[in-house]
């Protein structure tokens, strides 16, 4: 009989944030695959769990996934954990889950913390529809393109970001999405937990004034553009990209074509979005 692959969520800071079921499953399985075995051992020691561990991280997951599949096929029960939160959420996990599913191995989630949901519910922004974009690209031009891509999504936007890029990311977001309410949720569930609220512009100024921003952070951006002193000309997303390309010398047809290509959408779709954005900005 084949074993089961359990995808087990672990705390994102506070060690108490783990379910009874997660503790039981971690104690009962034959092997725990973890991103960093030493890091996970601290959690296991805290709960007196002595299950053997093996490493499974972004640099070895390609080789390790088939090995783990082999063990599952021979009947071992395995738990997958990451350093924090839910495996597979901006962490290794999807490859082994996919391989197990393709080979008829039961894949059982043991749900628990994940930083994006903790941050979303603390943000006070609508949570009926949200878009999670994972980590923002490190380079500004790629980040700006990413913001342009998501600018017309009618949902709360959520991203993971690192402290040394947060100021620049907030500035890029302000430019590409227009002024919006935002939250930076830092160090959730930890000693220095902080939920900073403001507009994108205010938060950019706040982080720019700090000598060194620290901690793990989630950036949450409201779906609506706030009317600013810049008024109705404060365009966002696609309009901004088109305007930038025009400033660089492209005529309006070429600018639209290039912007559509950058965003991976058709020219017709880009045209429709541009008209919608411009009429929204006039309202
Ligand atoms: N698998 C994790 C999850 O379920 O949230 C995410 C892992 S990802 C490698 C790490 C990023 O998640 C951090 O850079 C930060 O953006 C976010 N994060 C993790 N823990 C956090 C916390 N306690 N407070 C705020 N953000 C956190």
């Amino acid at each position: 009989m084949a074993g089961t692959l359990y995808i087990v969520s672990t705390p994102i800071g506070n060690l108490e944030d783990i379910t009874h079921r997660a503790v039981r499953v971690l104690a009962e399985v034959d092997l725990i695959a973890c991103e960093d075995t030493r890091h996970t051992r601290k959690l296991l020691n805290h709960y007196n769990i002595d299950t053997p561990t093996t490493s499974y991280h972004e640099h070895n997951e390609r080789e390790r996934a088939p090995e783990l599949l082999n063990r599952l096929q021979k009947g071992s029960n395995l738990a997958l954990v990451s350093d924090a939160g839910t495996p597979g959420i901006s962490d290794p996990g999807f490859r082994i889950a996919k391989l197990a599913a393709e080979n008829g191995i039961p894949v059982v989630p043991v749900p628990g913390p994940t930083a994006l949901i903790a941050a979303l519910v603390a943000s006070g922004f609508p949570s009926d529809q949200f878009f999670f974009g994972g980590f923002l690209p490190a380079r500004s031009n790629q980040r700006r393109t990413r913001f342009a891509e998501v600018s017309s999504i009618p949902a709360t936007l959520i991203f993971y970001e690192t402290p040394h890029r947060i100021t620049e990311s907030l500035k890029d977001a302000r430019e590409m999405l227009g002024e919006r309410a935002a939250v930076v949720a830092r160090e959730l569930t930890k000693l220095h937990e902080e939920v900073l609220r403001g507009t994108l512009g205010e938060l950019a100024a706040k982080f720019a004034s700090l000598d060194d921003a620290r901690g793990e952070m989630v950036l949450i951006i409201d779906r609506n553009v706030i009317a600013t002193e810049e008024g109705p000309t404060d365009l966002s997303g696609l309009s901004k990209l088109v305007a930038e390309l025009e400033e660089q010398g492209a005529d309006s047809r070429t600018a639209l074509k290039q912007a559509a290509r950058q965003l991976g959408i058709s020219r017709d779709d880009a045209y429709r979005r541009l008209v919608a954005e411009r009429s929204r900005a006039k309202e």
Side-chain angles (χ1 to χ4, degrees):
M1 263 257 297
T4 296
L5 173 65
Y6 295 92
I7 312 285
V8 181
S9 299
T10 59
I12 56 168
N14 189 322
L15 288 187
E16 289 179 21
D17 291 332
I18 189 163
T19 66
H20 291 287
R21 182 170 172 229
V23 172
R24 179 178 58 74
V25 167
L26 291 174
E28 286 177 3
V29 291
D30 300 296
L31 184 66
I32 303 172
C34 5
E35 257 192 296
D36 177 344
T37 50
R38 276 180 305 180
H39 181 90
T40 297
R41 183 55 62 195
K42 287 183 201 148
L43 176 75
L44 299 179
N45 287 345
H46 186 81
Y47 287 99
N48 295 317
I49 296 170
D50 57 8
T51 307
T53 57
T54 187
S55 76
Y56 179 86
H57 47 70
E58 59 173 330
H59 304 296
N60 72 3
E61 65 171 324
R62 273 174 198 277
E63 308 89 70
R64 198 43 72 87
E67 289 166 24
L68 295 179
L69 175 69
N70 192 17
R71 294 193 66 147
L72 286 158
Q73 285 171 324
K74 288 188 174 147
S76 296
N77 290 319
L78 256 64
L80 176 71
V81 300
S82 60
D83 280 354
T86 300
I89 303 296
S90 298
D91 265 343
F94 117 88
R95 215 175 286 278
I96 179 67
K98 179 171 185 279
L99 205 57
E102 284 168 354
N103 285 275
I105 305 283
V107 181
V108 174
V110 181
T114 185
L116 74 109
I117 299 295
L120 173 64
V121 295
S123 72
F125 295 148
S127 49
D128 55 337
Q129 289 191 68
F130 59 87
F131 170 85
F132 174 55
F135 277 103
L136 282 164
R139 297 160 77 120
S140 179
N141 58 348
Q142 290 171 359
R143 216 160 41 221
R144 290 158 65 87
T145 303
R146 180 69 49 83
F147 284 132
E149 284 165 359
V150 300
S151 65
S152 55
I153 297 179
T156 300
L157 307 175
I158 309 174
F159 300 97
Y160 286 166
E161 189 47 292
T162 56
H164 62 281
R165 287 202 290 264
I166 189 69
T167 307
E168 292 311 309
S169 289
L170 286 162
K171 285 185 191 162
D172 287 341
R174 166 71 181 78
E175 234 180 279
M176 302 309 288
L177 300 172
E179 188 63 300
R180 299 189 188 197
V183 157
V184 175
R186 278 210 279 197
E187 294 289 89
L188 293 170
T189 79
K190 303 186 202 177
L191 186 63
H192 299 292
E193 175 176 291
E194 197 174 17
V195 180
L196 297 159
R197 301 168 199 277
T199 64
L200 287 167
E202 287 164 358
L203 288 169
K206 178 167 180 63
F207 279 101
S209 72
L210 296 178
D211 284 345
D212 76 17
R214 286 191 193 183
E216 296 197 282
M217 44 184 69
V218 184
L219 168 61
I220 314 230
I221 305 172
D222 191 26
R223 69 189 70 181
N224 298 316
V225 179
I226 299 170
T228 62
E229 281 170 14
E230 292 149 59
T233 53
D234 185 23
L235 301 178
S236 64
L238 182 62
S239 328
K240 206 109 195 179
L241 204 56
V242 168
E244 274 184 9
L245 291 163
E246 284 174 348
E247 265 169 39
Q248 288 161 22
D251 61 54
S252 56
R253 271 173 73 94
T254 314
L256 186 67
K257 199 164 127 194
Q258 283 182 6
R261 196 174 322 125
Q262 275 188 38
L263 300 180
I265 57 177
S266 72
R267 208 163 10 143
D268 284 351
D269 195 13
Y271 182 70
R272 271 193 299 275
R273 278 167 60 171
L274 189 65
V275 171
E277 275 184 24
R278 285 183 175 161
S279 70
R280 255 203 328 262
K282 281 198 194 111
E283 278 167 12

